[in-house]
Amino acid sequence: MKRIQSIDFVRGVVMIIMALDHVRDLIHVDSITQSPTNLETTSPALFFTRWITYLCAPTFVFLAGTSAYISLKNSNDVVKTRKFLLKRGLYLVLLEFIVVNFLIFFDPGYNMLLWEVIATIGFGFIILSLVINFSWKSIAILGLLIIFFHNLTPFLPFAETSVIKRVLMPFFAPAALPMPGGIFVVGYPPIPWLGIMLAGFAAGKLFERDQTGRKRIFILIGTAAVLLFVMIRFINIYGDSQPWSAQKTSLLTFLSFMNVSKYPPSLVFCLITLGIMFLMLSLSEGLKSKLVNVVSVYGKVPLFYFLVHFFVIHLIMLVIMLLQGFSWSQLDFASGSFGRPKDVVSGLSLFNIYILWIAIVVALYFPCKWYGQYKQTHNKGWLKYL
């Protein structure tokens, strides 16, 4: 199987959107003190600035699984692919703790360690390496079972203080655990995201169809997922830890309906985000234009883009803090605020966040294009894992 343009394009779209979330998270004036999905304090513009970025992580994780399937088919060597996935998984976990955590906080003391999306993908690759000789149907069933039923784990009949629940729950739900000299935070619980990766791996089978056939099935899957989201969310009994409720205006009621849980990724979160992803894949099949080529540049080098864009955004944040009159001694790197000074107003308005986001994405185009071309001609050694 050759490289598939629709995957590169859709992944490029979500990588571009992802930068918006990180610019907002690090630099928006209210990002340290307020949640953009808190209906008591947010605005529709801020809410959807955050909500649209919900598409990023599930698409990123799902297509990582799909790419693993395509890699297996290209090599036609289970043993070789298993070794590659195992090594890359371990590499990504280490990369998360050593490099990504530093890029997030700029804290050389590593007072807070985050288990985020890169480590979760690494964990998924490790598990996938262990089950890669299972049939694609078995892997699909396992992935779907996790997606549809992991929301039941809070109801396990164990006391909150029991050792079993203390050990198990960080795999299924966010957790903050003490560690020597700081705190270890599980932001992306690995099991729910594993379900998404396994489903993505199994979906790689769909890419063996011709373009017309997979376009049709992507529309069917995407539409079914979105309709199932509406139905389950409307019933309001199962599928998310945060039920929706009627608000004082119809707009706020709609925001409540759409306010699904990412941490962990609830069933309805997965249905709406992956449903939209499938519709995007369908629309992008056979799509040819200069814009498609530009967006695909980002999608071909997702990890490179991820690392570089975080570094650039964080550097810009520090420059903004200094330009706003804060001294270096006021910057707080050890408490999880990215260096932003606490208890004082800092950062930019939402309008300026959008301008800065566009500027950063444009600035990263040529570095991503250069790296994509470089990797294509030097895809050996450690470059295979980046």
Side-chain angles (χ1 to χ4, degrees):
M1 295 174 68
K2 296 180 180 179
R3 193 169 192 99
I4 297 172
Q5 171 264 330
S6 59
I7 292 179
D8 288 336
F9 175 74
V10 171
R11 189 158 48 197
V13 170
V14 298
M15 299 303 288
I16 290 170
I17 295 172
M18 177 188 67
L20 173 61
D21 191 44
H22 293 153
V23 173
R24 180 204 58 77
D25 206 22
L26 267 69
I27 305 176
H28 184 238
V29 64
D30 292 328
S31 63
I32 301 297
T33 58
Q34 297 180 19
S35 167
T37 56
N38 182 349
L39 299 185
E40 298 294 325
T41 58
T42 194
S43 66
L46 181 58
F47 180 93
F48 282 109
T49 296
R50 171 57 174 155
W51 196 94
I52 192 66
T53 66
Y54 280 177
L55 298 175
C56 303
T59 300
F60 198 22
V61 174
F62 188 96
L63 293 180
T66 303
S67 297
Y69 181 91
I70 294 172
S71 177
L72 173 62
K73 286 300 175 180
N74 285 339
S75 69
N76 198 29
D77 188 331
V78 172
V79 174
K80 179 181 177 181
T81 304
R82 177 185 287 117
K83 289 180 179 179
F84 174 76
L85 290 174
L86 179 60
K87 288 180 181 178
R88 193 172 194 220
L90 293 171
Y91 167 78
L92 289 177
V93 172
L94 290 175
L95 188 72
E96 177 83 271
F97 293 143
I98 297 171
V99 179
V100 177
N101 269 258
F102 180 77
L103 295 178
I104 292 174
F105 297 116
F106 277 9
D107 176 19
Y110 291 91
N111 290 278
M112 179 183 292
L113 278 183
L114 279 181
W115 178 284
E116 288 270 311
V117 66
I118 300 300
T120 293
I121 292 174
F123 175 88
F125 280 155
I126 292 169
I127 300 302
L128 193 53
S129 74
L130 302 177
V131 301
I132 198 168
N133 56 344
F134 290 12
S135 70
W136 73 270
K137 289 183 179 179
S138 299
I139 293 176
I141 290 170
L142 179 57
L144 291 173
L145 285 173
I146 294 173
I147 289 171
F148 274 81
F149 297 110
H150 77 84
N151 285 120
L152 293 173
T153 52
F155 303 104
L156 289 173
F158 299 107
E160 292 296 328
T161 56
S162 67
V163 174
I164 292 178
K165 201 151 190 177
R166 284 181 178 177
V167 172
L168 284 179
M169 287 313 293
F171 285 91
F172 291 90
L177 309 170
M179 67 175 189
I183 186 170
F184 177 72
V185 177
V186 180
Y188 279 66
I191 298 300
W193 292 98
L194 172 65
I196 295 174
M197 175 173 282
L198 295 178
F201 180 86
K205 184 76 174 177
L206 302 176
F207 285 91
E208 295 180 352
R209 301 181 177 219
D210 60 48
Q211 194 173 87
T212 302
R214 62 182 185 243
K215 185 179 182 74
R216 186 183 304 115
I217 197 168
F218 290 161
I219 291 176
L220 291 173
I221 294 173
T223 302
V226 172
L227 291 176
L228 191 57
F229 159 77
V230 173
M231 183 181 72
I232 294 175
R233 187 62 169 157
F234 182 78
I235 294 171
N236 215 22
I237 294 175
Y238 177 74
D240 199 280
S241 60
Q242 184 172 313
W244 66 277
S245 60
Q247 304 290 315
K248 57 187 178 182
T249 68
S250 57
L251 177 57
L252 286 175
T253 298
F254 176 67
L255 297 188
S256 177
F257 188 86
M258 298 302 295
N259 193 16
V260 292
S261 301
K262 180 182 178 182
Y263 307 105
S266 68
L267 169 58
V268 291
F269 172 92
C270 293
L271 288 173
I272 187 62
T273 56
L274 295 179
I276 292 173
M277 179 205 70
F278 272 109
L279 294 176
M280 290 170 63
L281 283 170
S282 174
L283 291 171
S284 60
E285 283 289 346
L287 199 62
K288 295 183 184 298
S289 71
K290 191 169 184 179
L291 178 62
V292 170
N293 294 335
V294 169
V295 172
S296 298
V297 165
Y298 301 98
K300 291 177 181 178
V301 290
L303 185 55
F304 174 83
Y305 173 88
F306 183 91
L307 297 174
V308 174
H309 98 290
F310 236 125
F311 180 68
V312 170
I313 292 169
H314 211 155
L315 280 182
I316 291 173
M317 187 218 78
L318 294 180
V319 171
I320 290 172
M321 294 300 104
L322 296 175
L323 290 175
Q324 289 185 336
F326 298 102
S327 65
W328 188 262
S329 62
Q330 289 177 282
L331 304 186
D332 183 3
F333 295 99
S335 63
S337 63
F338 316 118
R340 294 268 295 272
K342 289 191 172 182
D343 302 322
V344 289
V345 177
S346 64
L348 302 178
S349 68
L350 189 60
F351 177 78
N352 287 316
I353 290 298
Y354 272 86
I355 293 175
L356 184 58
W357 162 58
I358 293 170
I360 290 171
V361 170
V362 170
L364 291 180
Y365 172 75
F366 286 108
C368 288
K369 186 175 182 180
W370 167 81
Y371 181 73
Q373 293 171 343
Y374 182 83
K375 186 179 178 183
Q376 192 173 7
T377 56
H378 298 77
N379 196 21
K380 295 181 181 179
W382 64 272
L383 280 177
K384 293 189 298 183
Y385 302 98
L386 188 56

